[in-house]
Amino acid sequence: MKLQRKTGLRATALGALAVSGALVLTACGSDDNTGTPDGGKKTGAASNIKCDGAKGQLLASGSSAQKNAMDLWVKNYMAACPGVEINYKSSSSGEGIIGFNQGRVGFAGSDSALKPEEVAESKKICKSGQGINLPMVGGPIAIGYNLPGVKDLVLDAPTIAKIFNTKIKKWDDPAIAKLNPEAKLPSTPIQAFHRSEDSGTTQNLGKYLGKAAKADWPYEAEKKWPAPGGQAASGSSGVAAQVKQVEGAIGYFELSYAASQSIPAVQIDTGAAAPVAATSENASKAIAAAKIKGTGKDLALDLDYQTKAEGAYPIVLVTYEVVCDTGNKAETLGTVKSFLTYTASDEGQKVLAEAGYAPIPAEINAKVRETVNGLS
């Protein structure tokens, strides 16, 4: 069966996620922090957003992978809650956690769960508690490429690892040709781009390569790019921009960046019957199998990067909102709870699908809502 291979914004039913009432909104990603992601179109009714306790300005920062989702959420929330300002600075997961642990933001966005030492540090800010991870955004990490004349490119984990580890240097390498027997591959040099700053997206890609291509990726999964060579760019938007501009380029970024800039994304040969495209639906099939590994109120997830399930896209990330379980600042607590109550609601999660993201599975999301309600 021929797979649907587009990486466009249209997402179909998210079967494995069991998200009720599949209302979806039309939206395009924006790389401008102040821009309107949907070009000024109405993104949906805001009548169910509760502004109880929200006031003033709330600063937040972190993951650039969730920026396009955050843009939509902030737009809808601020339209429903006049007088409240949510300012989310899209930087990186590492910078977001630093800002959170320095007490500069009400919450942080991170593509990786807090490390034990980061939890320990958070206790200085969360006076009576600690930082916890709330899964809020799911989606595929697209491997975008710029190779005119080559469509539906297929790669597997070992080949991706060798490309980013500078072991494969030209596009007509035998390893790539074997996976794409019908493609006319040029001898163009490969220009591999990675994130210049600490990034949860980098760490999630590293987790995938470390599990699925152990022999070819001998690095720990860290937020800092570990391999030699390649070229660096800032943020998911920076990597996507370089891939868009440079012929022969390849890079990794959240799917909405590929979709909004019409960058083709690699299909992954997982060992299943057919290669798997980077779509929200296919990422959903992988995320739905995640298990909660956090304890107490922490809802960090354990993802299966080696899945061979039919149609399950393995390079996925879940972006967390990092908050204090108790000990939040009194002046921002009401706004944090109100805003995150919206993002975790059915309404907030429905916004994600057509922006290239995958809503959090219903069973996990129910626990997120319960935890947000109990923040103090």
Side-chain angles (χ1 to χ4, degrees):
M1 176 181 290
K2 185 175 181 180
L3 292 177
Q4 176 66 25
R5 295 178 174 182
K6 294 183 179 179
T7 57
L9 299 183
R10 178 65 55 185
T12 55
L14 299 178
L17 287 181
V19 179
S20 62
L23 298 176
V24 290
L25 310 169
T26 300
C28 298
S30 168
D31 289 319
D32 183 340
N33 284 338
T34 60
T36 302
D38 63 346
K41 296 179 182 178
K42 187 176 181 182
T43 56
S47 58
N48 294 327
I49 296 176
K50 296 181 179 179
C51 310
D52 300 343
K55 60 182 178 180
Q57 183 184 64
L58 173 63
L59 300 179
S61 69
S63 165
S64 64
Q66 72 169 7
K67 176 193 178 302
N68 294 333
M70 193 60 69
D71 283 348
L72 291 168
W73 282 334
V74 168
K75 175 183 172 63
N76 289 350
Y77 181 84
M78 289 176 57
C81 302
V84 181
E85 180 182 354
I86 309 293
N87 188 336
Y88 181 82
K89 179 183 178 183
S90 170
S91 51
S92 69
S93 299
E95 292 180 32
I97 291 174
I98 290 173
F100 177 77
N101 279 340
Q102 291 179 345
R104 293 189 278 109
V105 296
F107 70 88
S110 177
D111 306 333
S112 295
L114 292 167
K115 295 180 179 179
E117 59 268 27
E118 292 170 337
V119 173
E121 188 176 356
S122 74
K123 294 179 180 180
K124 300 175 184 178
I125 299 300
C126 308
K127 299 299 184 180
S128 58
Q130 65 181 42
I132 58 172
N133 305 283
L134 302 178
M136 200 68 72
V137 182
I141 299 174
I143 306 295
Y145 66 98
N146 182 339
L147 207 57
V150 177
K151 298 181 179 180
D152 302 329
L153 184 71
V154 175
L155 298 176
D156 58 13
T159 306
I160 295 171
K162 290 173 185 175
I163 287 173
F164 282 107
N165 202 20
T166 65
K167 302 298 183 183
I168 292 178
K169 299 182 179 181
K170 291 191 175 184
W171 281 107
D172 60 354
D173 187 275
I176 301 176
K178 183 177 180 180
L179 292 164
N180 299 272
E182 298 180 3
K184 295 181 180 179
L185 298 168
S187 59
T188 307
I190 294 175
Q191 306 277 355
F193 285 89
H194 59 264
R195 293 282 288 274
S196 59
E197 75 285 12
D198 286 2
S199 160
T201 309
T202 294
Q203 188 171 40
N204 278 278
L205 176 65
K207 289 177 180 178
Y208 165 70
L209 294 176
K211 294 287 188 179
K214 296 178 183 179
D216 299 296
W217 194 255
Y219 308 106
E220 294 295 325
E222 299 291 346
K223 292 176 182 175
K224 183 177 180 63
W225 181 255
Q231 302 180 60
S234 178
S236 292
S237 60
V239 175
Q242 290 298 317
V243 172
K244 178 74 172 180
Q245 295 168 13
V246 178
E247 186 170 335
I250 189 170
Y252 58 94
F253 30 80
E254 195 278 327
L255 179 61
S256 67
Y257 291 92
S260 63
Q261 298 189 49
S262 300
I263 300 171
V266 167
Q267 298 179 53
I268 306 299
D269 183 344
T270 64
V276 185
T279 68
S280 296
E281 182 180 4
N282 291 344
S284 298
K285 294 175 183 177
I287 296 172
K291 305 296 183 183
I292 294 176
K293 65 178 180 180
T295 58
K297 295 182 179 179
D298 185 80
L299 300 177
L301 301 179
D302 187 15
L303 299 168
D304 181 8
Y305 296 98
Q306 294 178 282
T307 180
K308 295 183 180 180
E310 297 300 327
Y313 184 81
I315 318 177
V316 294
L317 62 77
V318 169
T319 290
Y320 302 95
E321 311 310 339
V322 176
V323 296
C324 296
D325 54 359
T326 62
N328 288 278
K329 293 181 179 180
E331 59 268 29
T332 58
L333 174 60
T335 309
V336 168
K337 291 183 67 173
S338 173
F339 181 65
L340 296 184
T341 294
Y342 162 59
T343 64
S345 69
D346 284 341
E347 183 179 339
Q349 289 291 299
K350 287 169 188 173
V351 170
L352 299 179
E354 287 201 356
Y357 296 96
I360 298 300
E363 182 178 350
I364 296 171
N365 196 42
K367 295 180 180 180
V368 173
R369 296 180 192 177
E370 180 182 353
T371 302
V372 170
N373 186 57
L375 297 178
S376 62

